Amino acid sequence: MIPDNIQIGMETMSNVEELNISDEEQRKGNVTYGIDDIPPWYLCIFMALQHYLTMIGAIVAIPFILCPALCMADTDPDRSNIISTMIFVTGLITWLQATFGCRLPIVQGGTISFLVPTLAILGLPTWKCPEQSVLAGMTPDQRREVWTSRMCELSGAIAVSALFQLIGGYFGIIGSLLRFVTPLTIVPTVALVGLTLFDHAAEAASEQWGIAAGTFILLTIFSQCMGEVKIPTVTWRKSAGLTVIWFPLFKLFPVLLTIVIMWAVCGILTATNVFEAGHPARTDLKINIIEDAPWFRVPYPGQWGAPTVSVAGVLGMLAGVLACTVESISYYPTTARMCAAPPPPLHAINRGLGTEGLGTVLAGLWGSGNGTNTFGENVGAIGVTKVGSRRVVQWAAGLMILQGVIGKLGAVFIIIPQPIVGGLFCVMFGMISAFGLSALQYVNLNSSRNLYIIGFSLFFPLVLTRWMSAHSGVINTGVEALDAVLQVLLSTSILVGGVVGCFLDNLIPGTREERGLDKWAKEMSLEAAGSSGPDTYDFPVGMSYIRRWNWTTYIPFMPTYENGKFSALFKRKKES
């Protein structure tokens, strides 16, 4: 099948082989380095650093919401250790994903999607923070016991809930259920991730609206207005010596530039005492975090204590797992197109989802307080830079692992003034919502049926979850565990929205064209490859043995998997 964006300059093609060659040449013409290309190591380092800087903004944003919900003090040095843990796990799983998982050059790391169920769990009466006066009267050890007990609850919930994605991915279960994941399921599930967190953006930005406004104004100018502006940069080339090139600085690093400039502004206003002592925009407010952070610290599983497991926590966190699964599935074909790779076959998608689930299990056991998901920012970076090499992302993973063990580097990001973070939130959460809404391009927006489903699945979850948050003890079935489960599920907007959207879209009559199913199926074509020769999605080692063994064609995550063979085994067993 020829993608729509590929124009063939002839009316007929003599054979399929000629068609495939044209397809490959077209893809290669769109990138500087394709997925299987290996740039020189010194270029890999700089391009890997770019991926690292692209993802660090999203990683840093999470603890600014997570840590207060855990009842941690603003000046607690363990905040930087949580960031270091997130970055360390991000590097580990990114390397596994790019090398043995889906084999696409995607970055896996902490995600905002897990914050929604996290806040719902921590909003339960059992885990709500004590009054501020009570916390202020605690000793450091008592305060640490308060937040580590909550972290252990989150760790267990994240690790156990991710087993659904791990098992469902590796065994092809999720792939077989994708026909129920329609655009009208994706829209509320992903869009509500950003919309639900607007309170946190407002709270952070309102601490100094001038700095917050300056942040999102600069970010808008750099990313949207100056994206094509290039600056002269001196570089060294072996053949030509010192050479001046035009570098797209604003297109590649709009977030980093914005943070540096606004941080410098806050520094100047701090030095001149325009911001009085204790002001949230002062740059010296949390300076002790850097002083107290160790130079080297290797994160390890169970570092905050043994994970605890509760039914309410696991089922609530499952909403985050489902949201991440839906989001990652939509990224795979997009990334493949961007890096000149053929469409990902079913076995690669199964393996990618399973590896992502494995990453979330490890993130929970390591105590990051979050799961893992595909970073949309890094997918966008591939499209901007035209560098889709798998090797570059593997180098980036190495940089992340290294940074994760250097404690003081993680501490630097924690002391970013809160109003700057609030300004970034206004843009980042909006972009997440917009990504979810972009799935509307597949459906007919002139259909009153679709408008009803979209409106209700977006609005009702916000109403229900806000009411549940204000009436935490309203559910009383007589069974405490069941009360907690229902409280978490009904307080998690992405779960409520996704279930409502999926239920209504599959219940209310509508044509395939009206529901956007044909366009969506074309975009998300999931077929098994089972190729006999070398393939982009093959394992880097051991393929000669795998191709020799017949049993590997039954395993949904093997590169030689033939679609339908695995499920046929169960059908035969049932018939016999």
Side-chain angles (χ1 to χ4, degrees), residues 31-55 90-91 94-99 103-108 252-253 335 339 378-379 381-383 385-401:
V31 297
T32 304
Y33 290 104
I35 186 169
D36 294 314
D37 294 337
I38 302 178
W41 66 269
Y42 48 88
L43 288 182
C44 280
I45 292 177
F46 287 103
M47 291 186 287
L49 180 62
Q50 180 173 255
H51 271 289
Y52 169 79
L53 293 174
T54 300
M55 73 91 195
T90 293
T94 296
W95 185 84
L96 285 175
Q97 185 71 282
T99 307
R103 304 255 310 146
L104 288 168
I106 56 177
V107 175
Q108 302 279 159
L252 298 180
F253 304 118
T335 306
C339 58
N378 292 84
V379 174
I382 293 174
T385 62
K386 306 301 182 186
V387 176
S389 169
R390 183 189 298 117
R391 183 60 55 87
V392 170
V393 169
Q394 291 170 333
W395 274 83
L399 290 179
M400 296 170 199
I401 293 173

Side-chain angles (χ1 to χ4, degrees), residues 79 89 195:
R79 283 189 171 216
V89 175
L195 294 176

Side-chain angles (χ1 to χ4, degrees), residues 482-497:
L482 180 60
D483 294 346
V485 168
L486 294 175
Q487 178 74 34
V488 172
L489 296 181
L490 296 178
S491 299
T492 307
S493 59
I494 57 177
L495 177 64
V496 176

Side-chain angles (χ1 to χ4, degrees), residues 3 22 29 41 69 110 115 135 147 180 206 252-253 270 301 318 351 363 395 442 546 574:
S22 177
W41 66 269
L115 283 179
L135 290 174
W147 74 259
F180 299 109
S206 63
L252 298 180
F253 304 118
T270 298
L318 188 61
R351 203 163 57 246
W395 274 83
Y442 302 104
I546 292 175
K574 186 176 180 181

Side-chain angles (χ1 to χ4, degrees), residues 39-196:
W41 66 269
Y42 48 88
L43 288 182
C44 280
I45 292 177
F46 287 103
M47 291 186 287
L49 180 62
Q50 180 173 255
H51 271 289
Y52 169 79
L53 293 174
T54 300
M55 73 91 195
I56 196 66
I59 285 284
V60 169
I62 296 170
F64 282 95
I65 297 176
L66 175 64
C67 293
L70 289 172
C71 319
M72 291 183 71
D74 290 343
T75 56
D76 194 324
D78 276 324
R79 283 189 171 216
S80 65
N81 294 331
I82 290 176
I83 281 192
S84 295
T85 300
M86 286 184 177
I87 296 174
F88 180 85
V89 175
T90 293
L92 181 62
I93 302 307
T94 296
W95 185 84
L96 285 175
Q97 185 71 282
T99 307
F100 295 102
C102 67
R103 304 255 310 146
L104 288 168
I106 56 177
V107 175
Q108 302 279 159
T111 169
I112 299 293
S113 298
F114 275 94
L115 283 179
V116 180
T118 292
L119 296 175
I121 292 171
L122 295 178
L124 292 173
T126 307
W127 302 114
K128 272 189 175 180
C129 290
E131 294 295 331
Q132 195 60 40
S133 58
V134 176
L135 290 174
M138 292 182 177
T139 65
D141 289 341
Q142 291 173 329
R143 188 71 179 262
R144 180 180 173 83
E145 176 62 28
V146 168
W147 74 259
T148 52
S149 62
R150 286 157 175 77
M151 178 65 88
C152 290
E153 174 70 12
L154 293 181
S155 297
I158 290 169
V160 175
S161 64
L163 293 176
F164 164 82
Q165 191 178 28
L166 187 152
I167 296 172
Y170 284 137
F171 289 93
I173 300 172
I174 297 176
S176 65
L177 297 176
L178 286 181
R179 64 182 182 275
F180 299 109
V181 181
T182 64
L184 291 180
T185 302
I186 292 175
V187 169
T189 302
V190 180
L192 284 169
V193 172
L195 294 176
T196 304

Side-chain angles (χ1 to χ4, degrees), residues 411-428:
V412 169
F413 297 109
I414 282 293
I415 67 172
I416 299 174
Q418 193 74 355
I420 296 178
V421 177
L424 293 176
F425 281 172
C426 291
V427 177
M428 291 173 58

Side-chain angles (χ1 to χ4, degrees), residues 309-331:
V309 179
S310 66
V311 176
V314 170
L315 293 181
M317 205 61 75
L318 188 61
V321 172
L322 293 175
C324 290
T325 301
V326 171
E327 192 173 347
S328 289
I329 288 172
S330 63
Y331 276 133

